[in-house]
Amino acid sequence: MTTDHERAVKFAYWVPNVSGGLVVSKIEQRTSWDIDYNRRLAQTAERSGFEYALSQIRFTAGYGAEYQHESVAFSHALLAATEKLKVIAAILPGPWHPAVVAKQLATIDQLTGGRVAINVVSGWFKGEFTAIGEPWLEHDERYRRSEEFIRAVKGVWTEDDFTFKGDFYRFNNYTLKPKPLQQPHPEVFQGGNSAAARRMAAAVSDWYFMNGNSLENHRAQIDEIRTAAAAQGRTVRFGVNAFIIARDSEDEAQQVLHDIVRHADTEAVHAFGHAVKQAGSASPEAQGMWSNSKFEDLVQYNDGFKTGLIGTPEQIARKIVALKAIGVDLVLGGFLHFIEEVEYFGKRVLPLVRELEEAGATAETA
Ligand SMILES: Cc1cc2nc3c(=O)[nH]c(=O)nc-3n(C[C@H](O)[C@H](O)[C@H](O)COP(=O)(O)O)c2cc1C
């Protein structure tokens, strides 16, 4: 039996386009935010079986991340250096206007043979907005704006004489030419886990990214969004964040985790913990991303340890298949030493995932 390519779980990696790596720790991280390293990483990733790369947008430093390359320009550079990889550019409504995003990304899509996508993030860092003079909207208003943003971008990408009268954006008989190469349009991902984020995913996003969490919590989010999307005649796909520590032995992998946390940049982690109170905890239900995160969890800023992809290739492959069984379509990986570990993952973990998929493994057997 061959693996149905469409059903095979997909892999993405976090593009380290901001300095400091993916963990807020003073442990050695053999990675870099510069373009040469990132080009090599992107080439290694596509050779190793990764289909997507996700860039980050940050306008100012925060908990490390002293230097930050801009996401769209950086994504384009990675696309130019690769052949198959899809690069997801992070976009922040507020600083970006949907007309600019629709136009700029349509051009990049044309130039790269249809390999660009966007991740619409809604903002959690008030200091960043204040620094660039952008009004800081209240939590659920940020999502109301992001939803309009996505409707507007998709409208411009797919319709002629596009007209839109929203509270945040307006378009009048606008026709974009050329439209993007990808039909019906480049994929729209979103980051954000609060109730408002989930409502938005069900209503307009193609993909919903989850922070790291337990299998049960991921299942609950997927079920909730699937049901809400189906009621609107839509389907949504799901990506999950994980900080992946794959080593030949479980002890070795656990030791790496232990060392990352032991060398955590305590001051930066606490500052981050304070800043993210503007995210999920600030939502009406106080249930979004990071609202239940402990110190250890915040050392990886998207709760990536909680997903538990830490151990031997065999253990990790089984966990991934268990995630697939609850409806996860894509695993988004962060790594300590990016190039080396992406290569190791491609050689040692990914083939096991494919074997288990072919054997029809389920959550019960995993
Ligand atoms: C996979 C993923 C990637 C994200 N990337 C960024 C980013 O590049 N820049 C940013 O400001 N926020 C980013 N976010 C943060 C979200 O946009 C959002 O602010 C955060 O998840 C809080 O969500 P909540 O308020 O719904 O709980 C990302 C979130 C996820 C899950």
Side-chain angles (χ1 to χ4, degrees):
M1 192 175 109
T2 54
T3 305
D4 175 357
H5 184 70
E6 275 306 302
R7 284 278 302 131
V9 67
K10 296 172 187 296
F11 293 97
Y13 73 91
W14 283 91
V15 175
N17 59 312
V18 308
S19 65
L22 262 279
V23 285
V24 189
S25 173
K26 293 174 179 162
I27 193 173
E28 183 195 15
Q29 300 190 52
R30 290 192 292 279
T31 180
S32 172
W33 57 285
D34 72 37
I35 188 61
D36 290 341
Y37 182 89
N38 267 283
R39 282 199 191 99
R40 278 192 290 124
L41 172 58
Q43 289 159 355
T44 305
E46 74 175 358
R47 263 199 320 271
S48 301
F50 285 73
E51 277 179 64
Y52 292 91
L54 173 71
S55 68
Q56 308 168 54
I57 182 60
R58 207 83 75 65
F59 280 85
T60 65
Y63 62 100
E66 188 180 357
Y67 298 93
Q68 322 95 31
H69 279 308
E70 188 276 320
S71 52
V72 177
F74 207 79
S75 298
H76 192 198
L78 298 183
L79 286 163
T82 50
E83 288 171 2
K84 299 182 293 193
L85 194 68
K86 279 196 158 187
V87 184
I88 311 163
I91 301 289
L92 189 55
W96 264 290
H97 188 279
V100 176
V101 170
K103 185 86 182 152
Q104 190 174 28
L105 274 288
T107 296
I108 295 177
D109 206 46
Q110 291 280 341
L111 299 184
T112 60
R115 291 192 287 129
V116 77
I118 60 172
N119 182 32
V120 176
V121 303
S122 293
W124 53 267
F125 190 7
K126 188 175 178 184
E128 173 180 63
F129 276 63
T130 307
I132 61 170
E134 263 297 322
W136 178 247
L137 302 181
E138 178 268 312
H139 183 273
D140 284 13
E141 283 297 282
R142 297 201 292 276
Y143 279 99
R144 217 161 63 77
R145 174 170 64 186
S146 293
E147 182 173 334
E148 272 195 14
F149 185 97
I150 294 172
R151 286 189 195 282
V153 169
K154 284 190 173 180
V156 173
W157 275 343
T158 56
E159 293 176 32
D160 285 345
D161 295 317
F162 178 62
T163 295
F164 185 84
K165 307 288 178 200
D167 289 340
F168 300 92
Y169 305 111
R170 283 153 296 282
F171 286 81
N172 300 297
N173 300 315
Y174 177 56
T175 300
L176 173 78
K177 284 187 183 178
K179 300 253 187 301
L181 206 59
Q182 292 177 85
Q183 291 298 320
H185 54 72
E187 294 168 297
V188 177
F189 291 72
Q190 73 160 82
N193 292 169
S194 56
R198 296 174 199 193
R199 281 195 296 275
M200 181 171 94
V204 291
S205 300
D206 303 321
W207 284 89
Y208 174 77
F209 270 133
M210 293 175 282
N211 250 16
N213 219 315
S214 64
L215 200 66
E216 275 321 300
N217 187 294
H218 286 140
R219 190 201 304 264
Q221 289 185 62
I222 291 170
D223 291 349
E224 176 189 328
I225 292 170
R226 264 203 188 141
T227 307
Q232 299 169 64
R234 302 186 68 253
T235 51
V236 178
R237 288 195 281 175
F238 298 91
V240 63
N241 175 51
F243 193 80
I244 300 174
I245 308 176
R247 296 292 185 275
D248 292 349
S249 78
E250 186 178 359
D251 283 353
E252 209 186 324
Q254 290 297 340
Q255 187 61 46
V256 173
L257 172 62
H258 180 78
D259 290 343
I260 291 172
V261 174
R262 192 161 59 88
H263 293 287
D265 181 344
T266 318
E267 203 182 313
V269 174
H270 283 307
F272 177 54
H274 181 72
V276 298
K277 299 222 176 327
Q278 297 291 338
S281 310
S283 65
E285 78 289 0
Q287 269 303 318
M289 186 155 145
W290 300 305
S291 52
N292 300 315
S293 301
K294 300 193 292 289
F295 178 87
E296 290 80 7
D297 301 324
L298 291 175
V299 175
Q300 202 295 305
Y301 45 75
N302 282 86
D303 281 341
F305 302 142
K306 283 188 187 170
T307 308
L309 298 192
I310 297 169
T312 63
E314 172 88 23
Q315 289 171 320
I316 292 174
R318 288 192 176 281
K319 275 251 167 76
I320 290 172
V321 173
L323 285 167
K324 179 180 172 175
I326 61 160
V328 169
D329 301 285
L330 175 149
V331 173
L332 169 66
F335 301 88
L336 193 62
H337 310 303
F338 265 89
I339 290 184
E340 301 158 44
E341 298 196 32
V342 156
E343 208 159 18
Y344 181 94
F345 188 88
K347 284 205 179 95
R348 299 288 307 279
V349 183
L350 218 146
L352 292 179
V353 174
R354 298 298 178 234
E355 272 175 32
L356 290 169
E357 284 179 318
E358 290 199 9
T362 63
E364 286 68 41
T365 61

